[in-house]
Amino acid sequence: MTLRAAVLGHPISHSKSPALHRAAYAHLGVQLDYTAIDVTEEELPAFMARVREDVRRGESWRGLSVTMPLKAGMVREVDEVRGVARELGVVNTVAFEPAAPGASTGSTRLVGYNTDVAGIVNALRNAGAVSAPTGVVLGGGGTSAAAIAALKELGAPDADIFVRDVSRAAEARAAAAALGMPVRILPMSGAAAAMAAADVVICTLPPRAADPLAGELAGLIAQPADQLSRETRPGLSGVLLDVAYDPWPSRIASAWQEAGGAVVPGLEMLIYQAVEQVRHFTGLGEAVPAEVIDVMCDAVGAPRRVF
């Protein structure tokens, strides 16, 4: 029987998740049909009801990858939320797992996880991010919650969260409170200078939304060195992760790199979080073989890992 999995979101046609997952399953010899399905926030409850009906009829769903704008809504659609997803209230992975014998929910439980946190942490570590970094997050939506959790895992004592509207950062505030992570929610007007002084910057804004900051960074770089303190001179040793990967390079990534900073494409985060999803969907356990990660990188034109 062919197993099923999919990535859900809106829009979804640009997603590279199908290429990543299909490469992994082909290498593993797993017959798992992975597709992309366009689902809006309003359509999600009805879609998940159909999925549950599929499961009751015996269809072999193994997993769902969840992207924007569905990550918060998916929390209400699963039977259980585990790990950091429980604290964040944000789910990007749904695994279809056998229910305990005698459970009233039937033979299959839908379990929500968040693999974005591991994706961010591993991408930043692979790029040489320092321990206990000073951290800046751009954006206050669902992915910012994972970014805050990632900074905490890296040992950051606190974080500055820059948003376009300080009254609309509920997800970031809730995540920080649940994690016990001190944060400051600040207007975007001060972001460029804070970025320049940070060890790690995680941009969770939609594609092109950070473009104005690229110009501000360029303006900082253009100033004579004696007009900037050492702490606010761009590109000293900071690492920028831009979770957007289409188009690439983004303007903010190009400006950061021109300042001498290290840049991590969002594709790196996508690969690392997909590796965790493959583990859940196939039952591989604690480790995905390095050769599987290699073929996933090949599928999206990313450099192979060095272990």
Side-chain angles (χ1 to χ4, degrees), residues 24-264:
Y25 304 135
H27 186 84
L28 289 166
V30 176
Q31 298 298 311
L32 200 158
D33 182 27
Y34 187 102
T35 58
I37 304 176
D38 196 297
V39 180
T40 66
E41 290 179 271
E42 294 75 20
E43 295 167 341
L44 182 61
F47 176 85
M48 293 303 293
R50 291 195 298 272
V51 167
R52 288 183 181 275
E53 182 58 32
D54 288 345
V55 173
R56 281 191 288 270
R57 292 199 310 264
E59 196 162 326
S60 295
W61 279 95
R62 294 303 299 270
L64 298 170
S65 308
V66 184
T67 188
M68 298 305 292
L70 308 178
K71 294 181 180 183
M74 187 58 82
V75 172
R76 298 185 292 274
E77 304 299 331
V78 297
D79 300 313
E80 181 182 354
V81 180
R82 291 185 190 157
V84 70
R86 188 169 54 246
E87 296 173 295
L88 300 182
V90 178
V91 164
N92 82 314
T93 302
V94 179
F96 292 66
E97 301 181 2
S104 60
T105 55
S107 61
T108 301
R109 286 177 63 78
L110 276 61
V111 181
Y113 296 93
N114 190 301
T115 66
D116 281 339
V117 177
I120 294 171
V121 169
N122 290 331
L124 287 170
R125 283 179 174 160
N126 190 59
V130 299
S131 298
T134 54
V136 164
V137 177
L138 305 179
T143 307
S144 73
I148 293 166
L151 285 172
K152 183 175 182 181
E153 187 167 332
L154 289 168
D158 52 33
D160 288 339
I161 317 299
F162 289 90
V163 296
R164 288 171 287 185
D165 183 348
V166 295
S167 68
R168 299 181 63 186
E171 289 169 291
R173 293 181 193 275
L179 292 164
M181 176 74 159
V183 299
R184 290 170 290 275
I185 308 296
L186 302 165
M188 201 65 74
S189 57
M195 290 169 65
D199 296 317
V200 170
V201 178
I202 305 171
C203 178
T204 71
L205 296 171
R208 301 183 177 86
D211 285 0
L213 286 172
E216 292 186 46
L217 280 172
L220 284 174
I221 298 162
Q223 293 185 45
D226 59 3
Q227 292 184 22
L228 292 169
S229 70
R230 185 179 185 279
E231 289 74 20
T232 58
R233 192 175 302 126
L236 297 176
S237 59
V239 178
L240 167 72
L241 167 60
D242 188 352
V243 303
Y245 56 84
D246 186 19
W248 190 261
S250 61
R251 283 189 60 194
I252 191 70
S254 295
W256 190 261
Q257 194 162 38
E258 287 170 10
V263 170
V264 184

